[in-house]
Amino acid sequence: CFFVENVSFVNKLATSDSNIGQQILPKILDNAESKSVFDFLLQVAAQDKPEVNIMATALESLALFMDTFTVRPKVIPVVVDQLQDLTLLLPFIHGPEEAGEANKKLGHVVWQCTSKYQEQENDAEKPEHVHHSDEAKAEEQLIFVTPKMENIQERLALQVMLRIVQIIQLVTKLAPEDPSGRLIKCTEILDENNRDQLIIGPKIGLVNSGDQDLRIESLRLLRTQVESNPAQFSTVEMGWMMGYLTSAGVFAGKQEIFLIELFQLLTCFIKDLSTTGQEFRMQYGKQAIRESFAIILIISEVKDDQLEAESAFELFVAVANLLGACSRPLSGGLREFLRRIDFVIMIPKVLYNTSQNWPSHARKTCELVLRIWTCGDLRQVILAVLENPQYSPTSNMVSLVLARLADILEGRSLYRTIVDGIEELPLFNEDDPWVGHSHMMRQVASQVKQDHEDSVTQHETFLISYGTDFLMSVADRIFYSDEVTTQFFEQALD
């Protein structure tokens, strides 16, 4: 315990200030005595049956050294080699069975937590073990009954799993920048050893854990993998991820944070222009849109004074970013599906809910929604909002919708084609002057094909709907509103 406390103190000191960590960790490796402590921790991490308390501390220390820039080049190759491309750590994040047999590595960790550290009070859930007459062989022949992943509640066992996930994430993140190619080989070996199944699998995956911190960190690892090498994921593994996208219990525990990470992960697949992204959009894009719409309606009804308000807004942004990726050109038909009438008719309700419930975030939510659901037919969203009597004519939302309408009439596009894909352009700028007719025509001519088709439809529906007369009626509502009238008289009296 004294050893663990001392090592933990150094870890906390180094993580409290990055500058301190950059200074003291190289000195630890340069000193023979302190270097022996590092070597011992590495040996503990490589053991089949480590002491769980020391194991958790060892993994925390290794993750700290690997994440510190000044010692990273010296430490990472040693850690990867000593742990056999991290494969020695994989059984500790595996379920109760491995290759059809009891997972004794994880079983030993849980057994220590429940017996030695007495973290599990329920005797019925303690691992069973059988002693044989030969005491020398008794330890080797212990039969551990390890709980399923969702039933593991022991703090030290969960901490061991969390640190392993963080170490794998560090290696995955640094692999593309490794000039030697050693880390890339390590990630390939991990992939061959079913790393993704251990993280996201429907039965043994870490995301099935009852510990939300472990679930969230597991999703961050997967996002790091997608950003570095999306080709590692199969269609089946993508389907496993979609299985956790549900609107049930959005604000239970830390579920909203888990969903934020999940939406960010799925958005990476939607935006990916490789064959992996194409397969995801074809197989699961429409399902992602349906679930996203169900969730965005739920969270838009959360009041600003409720405890979940801030996390609801962050989740709203994550959902909107995924839907925004679906509305981009080259999204494999998802833009058309996103504009189904049963989705579109609910957008004014979402805008109204967010403007009433989140006044401090009303502008941001409106911008996100208008980027997704401008649509070709202006009557579906733009004109529907402007003619809705629920909105104050002088509100920020009406102002933003009018500014977006001005951009549409000027032919401003939301996207443009660049060398490696599609680039998002900023939305409306109310301070920009009128660009002029010739510049407007050049903008229209340079639009992405789908945006150009939308632009033509938008201009046609504006004319069909007597758009100029419509705008004049909106102007009348604005100038005859109480806010404008009161302000006018106050200025006149001054």
Side-chain angles (χ1 to χ4, degrees), residues 221-280:
L221 166 59
L222 293 175
R223 179 152 56 94
T224 303
Q225 292 176 216
V226 176
E227 293 170 348
S228 61
N229 186 10
Q232 291 182 342
F233 291 93
S234 67
T235 306
V236 174
E237 291 166 346
M238 298 176 200
W240 292 341
M241 299 177 199
M242 291 300 300
Y244 300 98
L245 183 60
T246 174
S247 59
V250 173
F251 297 106
K254 294 183 179 179
Q255 179 66 8
E256 72 276 11
I257 302 177
F258 176 83
L259 286 174
I260 290 172
E261 292 294 335
L262 182 58
F263 274 109
Q264 292 175 349
L265 170 63
L266 299 180
T267 302
C268 292
F269 280 109
I270 294 289
K271 289 185 175 181
D272 181 44
L273 297 180
S274 69
T275 54
T276 302
Q278 183 179 1
E279 289 178 3
F280 181 85

Side-chain angles (χ1 to χ4, degrees), residues 355-427:
S355 66
Q356 296 297 310
N357 297 334
W358 308 340
S360 59
H361 299 303
R363 184 180 184 91
K364 177 67 175 179
T365 55
C366 183
E367 290 179 358
L368 290 170
V369 169
L370 290 179
R371 176 176 287 281
I372 301 166
W373 282 291
T374 295
C375 298
D377 190 341
L378 293 180
R379 293 169 294 189
Q380 291 182 329
V381 175
I382 298 292
L383 300 184
V385 170
L386 292 177
E387 68 179 358
N388 192 329
Q390 289 181 312
Y391 299 111
S392 169
T394 58
S395 65
N396 287 330
M397 185 164 295
V398 171
S399 174
L400 293 174
V401 172
L402 286 172
R404 178 69 191 125
L405 178 57
D407 279 358
I408 290 172
L409 298 179
E410 291 179 18
R412 293 189 181 184
S413 179
L414 293 175
Y415 307 94
R416 69 179 176 189
T417 305
I418 56 178
V419 176
D420 56 348
I422 299 295
E423 179 187 19
E424 289 186 0
L425 297 176
L427 282 175

Side-chain angles (χ1 to χ4, degrees), residues 183-473:
L183 297 186
I184 294 178
K185 181 183 176 182
C186 176
T187 58
E188 292 174 350
I189 292 175
L190 289 173
D191 190 41
E192 293 172 359
N193 283 270
N194 301 320
R195 168 204 52 207
D196 299 331
Q197 184 179 5
L198 300 181
I199 301 297
I200 200 73
K203 293 183 179 180
I204 64 173
L206 293 179
V207 291
N208 295 293
S209 170
D211 184 74
Q212 286 287 15
D213 291 332
L214 179 58
R215 300 179 72 216
I216 292 167
E217 199 66 32
S218 299
L219 289 183
R220 289 172 181 164
L221 166 59
L222 293 175
R223 179 152 56 94
T224 303
Q225 292 176 216
V226 176
E227 293 170 348
S228 61
N229 186 10
Q232 291 182 342
F233 291 93
S234 67
T235 306
V236 174
E237 291 166 346
M238 298 176 200
W240 292 341
M241 299 177 199
M242 291 300 300
Y244 300 98
L245 183 60
T246 174
S247 59
V250 173
F251 297 106
K254 294 183 179 179
Q255 179 66 8
E256 72 276 11
I257 302 177
F258 176 83
L259 286 174
I260 290 172
E261 292 294 335
L262 182 58
F263 274 109
Q264 292 175 349
L265 170 63
L266 299 180
T267 302
C268 292
F269 280 109
I270 294 289
K271 289 185 175 181
D272 181 44
L273 297 180
S274 69
T275 54
T276 302
Q278 183 179 1
E279 289 178 3
F280 181 85
R281 290 189 292 271
M282 290 176 58
Q283 295 287 337
Y284 306 109
K286 294 181 180 180
Q287 179 186 349
I289 289 176
R290 291 190 189 96
E291 292 295 337
S292 298
F293 196 80
I295 292 174
I296 210 170
L297 281 175
I298 292 173
I299 59 182
S300 69
E301 296 175 353
V302 176
K303 303 288 185 181
D304 198 20
D305 57 351
Q306 290 179 279
L307 295 176
E308 303 90 351
E310 195 60 35
S311 58
F313 170 70
E314 294 175 3
L315 180 56
F316 185 97
V317 172
V319 177
N321 285 337
L322 182 141
L323 294 173
C326 295
S327 70
R328 292 157 55 100
L330 306 180
S331 60
L334 296 183
R335 174 186 270 197
E336 289 74 15
F337 183 78
L338 188 63
R339 294 177 176 180
R340 281 179 25 165
I341 191 63
D342 53 334
F343 295 153
V344 172
I345 60 175
M346 298 302 294
I347 299 311
K349 180 180 179 180
V350 172
L351 286 171
Y352 178 76
N353 287 344
T354 55
S355 66
Q356 296 297 310
N357 297 334
W358 308 340
S360 59
H361 299 303
R363 184 180 184 91
K364 177 67 175 179
T365 55
C366 183
E367 290 179 358
L368 290 170
V369 169
L370 290 179
R371 176 176 287 281
I372 301 166
W373 282 291
T374 295
C375 298
D377 190 341
L378 293 180
R379 293 169 294 189
Q380 291 182 329
V381 175
I382 298 292
L383 300 184
V385 170
L386 292 177
E387 68 179 358
N388 192 329
Q390 289 181 312
Y391 299 111
S392 169
T394 58
S395 65
N396 287 330
M397 185 164 295
V398 171
S399 174
L400 293 174
V401 172
L402 286 172
R404 178 69 191 125
L405 178 57
D407 279 358
I408 290 172
L409 298 179
E410 291 179 18
R412 293 189 181 184
S413 179
L414 293 175
Y415 307 94
R416 69 179 176 189
T417 305
I418 56 178
V419 176
D420 56 348
I422 299 295
E423 179 187 19
E424 289 186 0
L425 297 176
L427 282 175
F428 37 74
N429 186 345
E430 299 172 60
D431 297 327
D432 279 356
W434 162 244
V435 295
H437 181 267
S438 59
H439 185 71
M440 182 192 78
M441 297 306 295
R442 287 197 299 271
Q443 286 187 149
V444 173
S446 64
Q447 288 174 338
V448 180
K449 181 181 178 181
Q450 286 180 295
D451 277 355
H452 180 69
E453 294 174 354
D454 278 350
S455 183
V456 172
T457 305
Q458 288 162 352
H459 290 171
E460 289 178 352
T461 55
F462 182 77
L463 294 175
I464 293 172
S465 305
Y466 300 97
T468 305
D469 293 341
F470 188 88
L471 286 177
M472 293 303 297
S473 66

Side-chain angles (χ1 to χ4, degrees), residues 83-144:
L83 298 180
Q84 298 180 15
D85 294 295
L86 306 185
T87 55
L88 294 181
L89 299 179
L90 294 183
F92 292 105
I93 61 173
H94 203 288
E97 292 186 357
E98 185 181 16
E101 298 181 358
N103 183 0
K104 292 189 177 181
K105 280 194 174 184
L106 180 60
H108 186 77
V109 167
V110 175
W111 175 76
Q112 287 187 71
C113 293
T114 57
S115 59
K116 182 176 181 180
Y117 293 97
Q118 297 180 349
E119 290 190 0
Q120 181 60 262
E121 296 180 359
N122 188 353
D123 292 336
E125 295 185 11
K126 285 186 178 182
E128 298 176 3
H129 52 279
V130 179
H131 291 278
H132 297 267
S133 56
D134 187 353
E135 293 296 333
K137 297 181 180 180
E139 178 66 18
E140 297 179 2
Q141 298 181 5
L142 285 177
I143 301 175
F144 296 102

